Amino acid sequence: MDRSVEGAAAQYYSSAMGPLAGQLGEWLCRAVQPPAPTPCGSPGGPPVTARRVRLRDGRHLAYEETGVPLHRARFRVVFSHGFTGSRLDSLRASPEVAEELGVYMVGFDRAGYGESDPNPARTVESAALDVADLADALGLGDKFHLVGFSLGCHAVWGALRYIPHRLAGAAMLAPVVNYWWPGFPPELAAQEYGKQARGDQWALRVSHHAPGLLHWWMEQSWLPLPTSTVASNTTHLPNKRDAEVRRTLAADGTLRAKREMATQQGIMESYYRDMAVMFGKWEFDPMALPEPECEVHLWQGDEDGLVPVVLQRHVAGSLRWVKYHELPGTGHFLSAVPGLGDTVLRTLFSN
């Protein structure tokens, strides 16, 4: 073909396809863009019913207090709830033990959950700073204890990295792991990652490599596999107590009510932002953290169907300063283990 004709043809197709490509790009951008959140108290948003504090950046965190009154407390505990949780979650310690030890506890809706304002810029660091801001707003003092459950433990890791000077002690209950943490042997992490349902593997893969597509991915009903059995509460649970707890909560409507409460401002800024933060690219490796000045405890069930116990053992083995407590015959829902909340408080405060 004559080069002049070839060049003219190329120019023609370029000019003809340009607008089409632009329109396709705009459509794709709109398709993957999550809907805007509906913050509590905003026009058309849910009402504000909880007590809230104002953070340094102007956002609000909703909170709920239990235990002894703050003015009588010997110890002050901040509790970071897990995936799908809320400010109402707690250690479920008995009032008698909290009174005996003098423990004040405050749970809070993490950013975007419940009645706490969304934070589209949420990170592991911002989760830790939210905890510090909450403690300051409530007057908990220079140091406090921080307890996290499941995915909410990323705030504990963040606190150990970014605000270790604020911690009098820390505890993690069945903390979720990130399969891409550098401290994991690649073959071990890949082996445990591969044991998950295919839909969960893809959900985590998108969370890590393409978090901007996560909302779109999670909302695609045409996919041949569920996008996340964790988000839909259908994960296989090998532990009998876990399975029974989930059946009971599903039957009495508790799971549905928790989901509605957690996601009332939008599922992107609660569930999906959690996934993007927890399984995204961290700025540090927890297994490379220096030893803090405070005690750190970690409880893990050996029949946990959501967090691989072999990876948790590796975390604890890499951090010799972590006091590791493995619970035989126990699954992921540690708050349902009889007496464990009291055990955690006594472990932290009876010395």
Side-chain angles (χ1 to χ4, degrees):
M1 179 184 293
D2 183 270
R3 290 189 180 277
S4 61
V5 175
E6 187 179 56
Q11 184 176 4
Y12 169 78
Y13 284 115
S14 176
S15 60
M17 294 299 292
L20 179 59
Q23 291 173 6
L24 179 60
E26 291 178 8
W27 177 84
L28 287 173
C29 287
R30 288 195 300 270
V32 302
Q33 185 69 26
T38 54
C40 288
S42 65
V48 176
T49 65
R51 289 175 291 176
R52 306 202 302 177
V53 297
R54 187 179 178 89
L55 308 183
R56 70 183 78 185
D57 63 3
R59 289 181 296 113
H60 297 84
L61 285 189
Y63 67 95
E64 185 76 17
E65 297 168 305
T66 57
V68 304
L70 181 57
H71 71 275
R72 290 203 293 111
R74 295 175 56 220
F75 305 103
R76 295 159 296 280
V77 177
V78 178
F79 186 82
S80 178
H81 67 77
F83 189 68
T84 79
S86 77
R87 65 186 182 277
L88 303 181
D89 295 347
S90 71
L91 281 172
R92 295 192 181 179
S94 67
E96 293 78 15
V97 170
E99 180 70 32
E100 172 194 336
L101 298 174
V103 181
Y104 161 93
M105 292 172 279
V106 58
F108 67 102
D109 291 333
R110 293 191 285 102
Y113 272 84
E115 296 186 28
S116 288
D117 291 338
N119 180 10
R122 182 147 62 103
T123 62
V124 175
E125 181 178 10
S126 75
L129 297 180
D130 281 0
V131 169
D133 282 359
L134 174 69
D136 290 341
L138 294 177
L140 303 192
D142 293 336
K143 291 193 176 187
F144 51 86
H145 283 75
L146 178 59
V147 176
F149 171 64
S150 191
L151 192 147
C153 289
H154 74 272
V156 183
W157 289 122
L160 289 168
R161 169 64 177 83
Y162 297 108
I163 55 167
H165 59 287
R166 301 299 307 273
L167 299 181
M172 291 179 276
L173 309 180
V176 171
V177 300
N178 183 320
Y179 294 89
W180 289 271
W181 283 341
F184 285 135
E187 63 281 1
L188 180 63
Q191 173 184 307
E192 295 305 313
Y193 180 86
K195 292 179 181 179
Q196 300 178 95
R198 291 290 298 278
D200 290 308
Q201 293 182 40
W202 273 102
L204 298 191
R205 191 175 290 127
V206 174
S207 297
H208 185 78
H209 295 290
L213 298 177
L214 185 58
H215 182 275
W216 175 86
W217 178 266
M218 295 291 289
E219 297 297 308
Q220 299 311 299
S221 60
W222 54 267
L223 291 171
L225 294 170
T227 52
S228 171
T229 66
V230 179
S232 63
N233 270 307
T234 58
T235 307
H236 170 66
L237 299 176
N239 179 260
K240 291 182 179 180
R241 181 189 288 117
D242 277 1
E244 181 58 33
V245 166
R246 186 172 66 185
R247 278 194 298 269
T248 300
L249 296 181
D252 67 13
T254 300
L255 287 183
R256 182 178 65 255
K258 285 175 66 71
R259 180 184 179 92
E260 290 173 354
M261 179 179 180
T263 64
Q264 63 180 327
Q265 299 180 92
I267 197 168
M268 176 63 220
E269 292 304 328
S270 49
Y271 285 14
Y272 302 161
R273 186 72 62 190
D274 247 6
M275 295 168 62
V277 171
M278 181 66 234
F279 302 108
K281 297 176 174 64
W282 286 37
E283 294 182 351
F284 66 96
D285 179 6
M287 283 168 278
L289 286 171
E291 182 174 357
E293 295 182 359
C294 66
E295 281 194 356
V296 179
H297 294 263
L298 193 161
W299 277 267
Q300 172 70 35
D302 68 350
E303 293 182 0
D304 193 321
L306 296 172
V307 181
V309 66
V310 296
L311 293 184
Q312 207 72 276
R313 291 168 182 163
H314 187 85
V315 171
S318 299
L319 299 172
R320 297 297 183 181
W321 43 266
V322 168
K323 299 182 183 302
Y324 182 61
H325 312 269
E326 188 167 301
L327 306 175
T330 302
H332 187 73
F333 302 146
L334 299 189
S335 62
V337 177
L340 183 60
D342 290 348
T343 297
V344 171
L345 291 188
R346 291 193 184 281
T347 300
L348 293 176
F349 303 127
S350 292
N351 295 333

